[in-house]
Amino acid sequence: MTAPDPAVLAARVDRVQDRIAAAGGDPHQVQLLAVTKGFGPEIALAAAGAGLIDLGENYAQELVAKAPVVAERFEVRWHAIGRLQRNKVRSLAPLVHLWQTIDRLDLGLEVAKRAPGARILVQVNVSDEPQKGGCDPGDAAELVARLTDAGLAVQGLMTVGRTGNPAEAQAGFRLLRGLADTLNLPVRSMGMSGDLEAAVAEGATMVRVGSALFGPRPSVPGAPAGPR
Ligand SMILES: *Cc1c(COP(=O)(O)O)cnc(C)c1O
């Protein structure tokens, strides 16, 4: 696969920032996480070249493969945004800037062991869709407390909106916002290419965007299709 034309990518970044602004967000405040999963390292390099230095990956093996290639030319921050198995934590520990999908204590404790003091977000399932990751909203406070006790830097909450109509996702984003406020957590990672307006309207501080920047993803062998 070839890298996108830098002018095309720059125009897409502008377009996403316009969408953030149109939804009432300040594009300088809402962090844009470029989701490079499913693409080769050339897309991650193109993103970094366009100034997108926060990059999101779902699969450990992809992140581990791309990080050294990108590091030769750019200093980027990798975000782990996929469902995570405990046995993948060790290989990711030296590479991950922000672990966004910590949704259970045993996983968090493994991160605390392999990357003491790491920055994390607690993933919350606000849509009641069992195929998605995330703890129950009612369990978030306890989990945040236990992870903090384990020495992790809990910076905020993350969620994947309800699949389908973005208007339906919005109630879930509002719930995440309220939960983060109650727990005094500043970071709210929510919204993707299809529903970022709804997330920004509800106070997202970070949106995770793949296809709106890079086009449709090539399929990842062995990977589940949708965001989890
Ligand atoms: C793939 C993915 C994204 C980006 O999805 P797009 O629809 O391509 O913007 C964001 N967040 C998570 C958790 C994902 O898995």
Side-chain angles (χ1 to χ4, degrees):
M1 184 184 307
T2 53
D5 179 340
V8 170
L9 182 54
R12 287 176 177 171
V13 173
D14 284 350
R15 169 86 187 109
V16 168
Q17 285 178 337
D18 288 349
R19 288 176 60 190
I20 291 170
D26 177 347
H28 300 291
Q29 300 290 327
V30 178
Q31 213 179 344
L32 178 54
L33 176 68
V35 178
T36 50
K37 69 158 177 247
F39 293 102
E42 65 285 348
I43 293 289
L45 285 164
L52 300 169
I53 58 154
D54 284 283
L55 303 179
E57 286 287 340
N58 286 55
Y59 308 104
Q61 64 276 23
E62 270 196 76
L63 200 164
V64 167
K66 288 176 207 178
V69 180
V70 176
E72 282 176 24
R73 290 186 39 209
F74 296 100
E75 210 167 297
V76 300
R77 298 189 290 232
W78 293 101
H79 297 240
I81 64 169
R83 284 197 105 161
L84 196 57
Q85 289 164 308
R86 254 183 358 153
N87 63 7
K88 298 288 162 58
V89 168
R90 186 179 184 174
S91 64
L92 290 176
L95 301 171
V96 171
H97 170 78
L98 180 62
W99 305 78
Q100 295 209 10
T101 57
I102 306 304
D103 61 1
R104 54 193 199 275
L105 188 60
D106 71 327
L107 179 61
L109 294 179
E110 183 68 12
V111 171
K113 178 175 165 192
R114 304 292 180 187
R119 294 171 209 86
I120 66 160
L121 304 182
V122 166
Q123 182 176 358
V124 182
N125 187 331
V126 295
S127 63
D128 224 14
E129 292 167 293
Q131 74 277 18
K132 287 198 170 114
C135 69
D136 263 24
D139 295 338
E142 169 79 8
L143 185 55
V144 167
R146 301 285 290 273
L147 296 169
T148 303
D149 286 346
L152 294 166
V154 185
Q155 301 199 322
L157 303 179
M158 177 273 204
T159 199
V160 176
R162 174 174 281 280
T163 307
N165 181 348
E168 283 172 27
Q170 190 150 347
F173 295 145
R174 191 173 313 141
L175 196 149
L176 192 87
R177 168 66 192 264
L179 207 48
D181 286 352
T182 304
L183 300 173
N184 234 334
L185 296 170
V187 176
R188 301 177 290 270
S189 171
M190 55 190 195
M192 315 192 300
S193 293
D195 59 12
L196 71 87
E197 282 86 353
V200 168
E202 297 299 337
T205 64
M206 184 187 306
V207 291
R208 307 177 307 267
V209 179
S211 48
L213 293 171
F214 309 120
R217 271 182 289 281
S219 61
V220 186
R228 297 297 164 113

